[in-house]
Amino acid sequence: MNKTICLAGIVLGGTAVILGAFGAHGLEKLVDGNAIQTFETGVKYQMYHALLLLVLGSMNQLPKASKKLIFYFVLVGICCFSFSIYLLATNSLTAFDFKAIGLVTPLGGTLLIIGWSIFGHRVYKHFD
């Protein structure tokens, strides 16, 4: 499980760098400044949580079941939160109106908060 969590963190971190570069250099002539800032928010949160996964995957103190639960909340949260933000920020470039799926973003944020909460609770309980 540690290897899977770390690999997910590496892939998500690497794609955050790629998407950040795309947002900074590829979108500047395609969308307005607000959309670029929104896109960058998605990149930041993806990178923060990629780093969280690297820390989680490196911790041998937590039980496998706890790590697995946290991993799934964070992974699904990243996908819902950051990727919906990417779609919403580039909405003007497509024929599909991604605003129709706008509720996915707060769902993703909620999953990330739950993941952090479980992580904090399990660390506190384990190191008590």
Side-chain angles (χ1 to χ4, degrees):
M1 191 73 205
N2 289 343
K3 185 176 182 181
T4 300
I5 295 170
C6 284
L7 284 174
I10 290 166
V11 169
L12 288 166
T15 57
V17 172
I18 293 166
L19 289 168
F22 172 70
H25 303 292
L27 287 179
E28 61 189 7
K29 294 179 183 170
L30 301 174
V31 296
D32 65 21
N34 288 336
I36 291 174
Q37 284 182 327
T38 300
F39 194 90
E40 288 174 358
T41 298
V43 171
K44 287 178 193 173
Y45 276 81
Q46 182 176 334
M47 182 58 83
Y48 298 153
H49 290 90
L51 295 172
L52 171 65
L53 292 177
L54 291 173
V55 169
L56 180 65
S58 300
M59 289 185 71
N60 293 322
Q61 298 90 341
L62 292 179
K64 182 179 177 181
S66 293
K67 291 169 82 167
K68 192 174 186 179
L69 181 66
I70 297 162
F71 170 65
Y72 287 127
F73 271 104
V74 171
L75 183 64
V76 175
I78 291 170
C79 292
C80 291
F81 185 82
S82 289
F83 287 91
S84 67
I85 286 181
Y86 301 144
L87 295 173
L88 289 167
T90 58
N91 193 47
S92 64
L93 302 177
T94 64
F96 182 77
D97 185 11
F98 289 107
K99 291 178 185 174
I101 61 164
L103 289 176
V104 174
T105 308
L107 171 65
T110 302
L111 294 173
L112 292 172
I113 292 166
I114 293 169
W116 277 100
S117 298
I118 295 169
F119 189 30
H121 179 263
R122 300 291 164 91
V123 166
Y124 178 78
K125 191 174 178 180
H126 185 75
F127 291 105
D128 191 22

